[in-house]
């Protein structure tokens, strides 16, 4: 065995031409340099779009980087084989039956590769989106050539074949522009004071209409101007994810309560901001009920004890 020392280097220089090593070095260096230049250009494009507040599909740029890396590796491999005197044309010609065998062996990989293009072209989700399928839920970390990485909310990383995502339903919570739903029932004790019930319902609805965090037409008018234009091909609300429904009604008679439905949407779709707005709505409704003749209901049980035996005694 040769030791890695000065003698080993001398042996290599003696038995192999220096030009050969220079060629391999140049091929690898040029390939690496080309890859870094392409990657730098892509990052500059992303930075420019972000500075102009333009929607950037990072997964498209990531896929372009993966394609560039694969293309450069292929070019380097072909260059080295050609330099060694291998007839590339003859190899390509002889790949008839062999190519079919390789294609069958790599069927799953090719399927995932084309499904990755399909997923991106259908615009089902973007990098960073919060998605849910029948098997998992989390944030999209990266979309690769054959698989997608999803970071779950318990901070685990799932690698999912793109063929699975392309052929299953995906719920995307991030693809909404305005409006995250707030829905609950206010349970009040049974009362025959109909006018007071009507007044409380009107008071709750009036409070929601004035609440700075709840969606109404007037509050989102400026935001809608940024994205909306007339197009009869699709609904603006469905296309961009805009919800502004506001409902407050006496909805049902329960076993122990009358239930007032409160149905509205927060302007922000951010989870923490949505929780803050929902909590504030709860507190304001509690204040309205407290300043009314109505009372909140809760489950109760009445127990009747038969004392007729004690009367006989």
């Amino acid at each position: 065995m040769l030791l890695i020392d000065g003698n080993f280097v001398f042996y290599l220089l003696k038995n192999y031409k220096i030009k050969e090593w220079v060629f391999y070095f140049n091929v690898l260096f040029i390939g690496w340099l080309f890859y870094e230049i392409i990657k730098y250009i892509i990052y500059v494009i992303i930075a420019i779009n972000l500075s102009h507040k333009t929607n950037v599909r990072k997964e498209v740029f990531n896929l372009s980087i993966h394609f560039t890396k694969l293309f450069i590796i292929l070019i380097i491999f072909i260059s080295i084989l050609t330099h060694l005197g291998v007839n590339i044309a003859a190899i390509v010609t002889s790949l008839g039956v062999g190519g079919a065998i390789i294609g069958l062996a790599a069927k799953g990989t090719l399927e995932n590769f084309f499904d990755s293009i399909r997923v991106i072209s259908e615009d089902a989700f973007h990098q960073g989106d919060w998605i849910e399928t029948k098997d998992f839920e989390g944030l999209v970390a990266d979309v690769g050539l054959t698989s997608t990485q999803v970071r779950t909310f318990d901070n685990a990383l799932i690698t999912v074949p793109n063929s699975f995502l392309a052929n299953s339903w995906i719920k995307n919570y991030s693809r909404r522009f305005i409006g995250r739903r707030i829905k609950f029932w206010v349970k009040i004790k049974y009362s025959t004071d109909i006018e007071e019930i009507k007044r409380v319902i009107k008071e709750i609805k009036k409070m929601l209409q004035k609440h700075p965090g709840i969606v109404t037409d007037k509050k989102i008018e400026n935001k809608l101007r940024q994205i909306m234009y007339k197009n009869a091909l699709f609904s603006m609300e469905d296309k961009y994810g805009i919800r502004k429904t506001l409902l407050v009604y006496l909805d049902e008679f329960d076993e122990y309560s009358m239930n007032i439905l409160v149905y509205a949407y927060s302007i922000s779709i951010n989870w923490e901001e949505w929780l803050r707005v929902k909590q504030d709505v709860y507190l304001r409704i509690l204040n309205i009920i407290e300043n009314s003749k109505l009372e909140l209901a809760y489950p109760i049980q009445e127990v009747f004890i038969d004392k007729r035996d004690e009367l006989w005694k």
Side-chain angles (χ1 to χ4, degrees):
M1 178 181 290
L2 291 172
L3 298 176
I4 302 177
D5 54 12
N7 294 329
F8 177 68
V9 175
F10 178 76
Y11 173 81
L12 290 177
L13 293 176
K14 182 179 178 181
N15 290 273
Y16 297 95
K17 296 180 181 179
I18 297 178
K19 291 183 179 181
E20 296 292 327
W21 293 103
V22 172
F23 171 79
Y24 297 141
F25 174 79
N26 288 336
V27 169
L28 294 174
F29 177 76
I30 293 173
W32 170 80
L33 183 63
F34 183 72
Y35 171 71
E36 291 296 328
I37 291 173
I38 295 296
K39 189 167 67 171
Y40 176 77
I41 293 173
I42 290 175
Y43 286 155
V44 169
I45 294 173
I46 293 175
I48 293 174
N49 287 328
L50 290 176
S51 65
H52 290 83
K53 297 181 180 180
T54 306
N55 187 26
V56 179
R57 295 200 61 186
K58 296 180 181 178
E59 64 277 2
V60 175
F61 292 105
N62 285 338
L63 197 62
S64 301
I65 291 175
H66 292 316
F67 271 123
T68 302
K69 186 187 297 183
L70 187 64
F71 177 75
I72 290 173
I73 291 174
L74 183 62
I75 293 299
I76 291 175
F77 182 70
I78 293 175
S79 299
I80 292 176
L81 289 180
T82 303
H83 182 74
L84 293 174
V86 178
N87 191 339
I88 303 299
I91 293 176
V92 173
T93 304
S94 63
L95 280 179
V97 177
I101 296 174
I102 294 174
L104 290 174
K107 179 182 177 182
T109 303
L110 292 174
E111 183 180 358
N112 285 317
F113 172 74
F114 287 110
D115 281 334
S116 66
I117 300 176
R118 176 180 160 194
V119 165
I120 291 177
S121 64
E122 289 180 352
D123 200 21
F125 53 81
H126 296 172
Q127 188 173 327
D129 281 0
W130 169 13
I131 65 171
E132 178 186 355
T133 69
K134 61 181 180 179
D135 294 322
F136 63 86
E137 179 180 2
L139 303 175
V140 178
D142 183 37
V143 181
L145 291 175
T146 59
S147 63
T148 295
Q149 293 183 331
V150 178
R151 179 71 62 178
T152 62
F153 291 112
D154 58 355
N155 209 21
L157 187 66
I158 300 177
T159 301
V160 189
N162 285 329
S163 58
F164 172 82
L165 294 174
N167 296 285
S168 62
W169 61 265
I170 299 174
K171 183 185 288 187
N172 193 329
Y173 291 102
S174 299
R175 300 297 292 276
R176 46 192 176 188
F177 184 71
I178 296 173
R180 184 164 180 167
R181 189 174 68 173
I182 298 174
K183 179 184 178 182
F184 59 92
W185 283 265
V186 179
K187 297 179 180 291
I188 59 175
K189 290 183 179 180
Y190 277 99
S191 172
T192 56
D193 193 341
I194 298 176
E195 294 304 318
E196 183 67 2
I197 295 173
K198 289 181 179 180
R199 189 192 70 80
V200 167
I201 291 174
K202 289 181 181 179
E203 191 71 20
I204 293 175
K205 189 169 186 177
K206 184 178 179 182
M207 177 273 295
L208 291 173
Q209 290 172 339
K210 292 183 178 180
H211 196 290
I214 298 297
V215 178
T216 59
D217 286 326
K218 292 182 179 179
K219 294 173 192 170
I220 62 173
E221 185 176 355
N222 292 331
K223 290 188 176 184
L224 294 181
R225 287 174 183 172
Q226 299 174 10
I227 63 167
M228 280 198 166
Y229 55 91
K230 291 185 178 180
N231 192 325
L233 296 178
F234 50 79
S235 165
M236 291 292 108
E237 292 188 357
D238 295 333
K239 173 68 176 178
Y240 295 105
I242 300 169
R243 287 291 179 267
K244 50 188 177 178
T245 307
L246 198 158
L247 303 171
V248 183
Y249 289 100
L250 182 61
D251 184 49
E252 59 187 9
F253 293 104
D254 209 342
E255 293 181 0
Y256 62 90
S257 65
M258 296 186 296
N259 299 337
I260 298 175
L261 171 65
V262 177
Y263 191 101
Y265 286 87
S266 67
I267 294 177
S268 174
I269 63 172
N270 178 268
W271 183 44
E272 186 173 356
E273 179 64 17
W274 172 77
L275 288 174
R276 189 197 66 78
V277 171
K278 187 169 69 167
Q279 174 184 264
D280 190 58
V281 168
Y282 284 166
L283 295 176
R284 294 190 186 200
I285 289 177
L286 288 175
N287 187 56
I288 292 173
I289 299 297
E290 185 180 8
N291 295 322
S292 71
K293 298 177 183 178
L294 303 179
E295 295 182 53
L296 292 175
Y298 50 87
I300 58 173
Q301 289 183 340
E302 294 184 0
V303 179
F304 295 93
I305 301 175
D306 190 353
K307 295 184 177 181
R308 286 178 294 178
D309 293 340
E310 295 182 6
L311 292 177
W312 285 107
K313 292 179 181 179

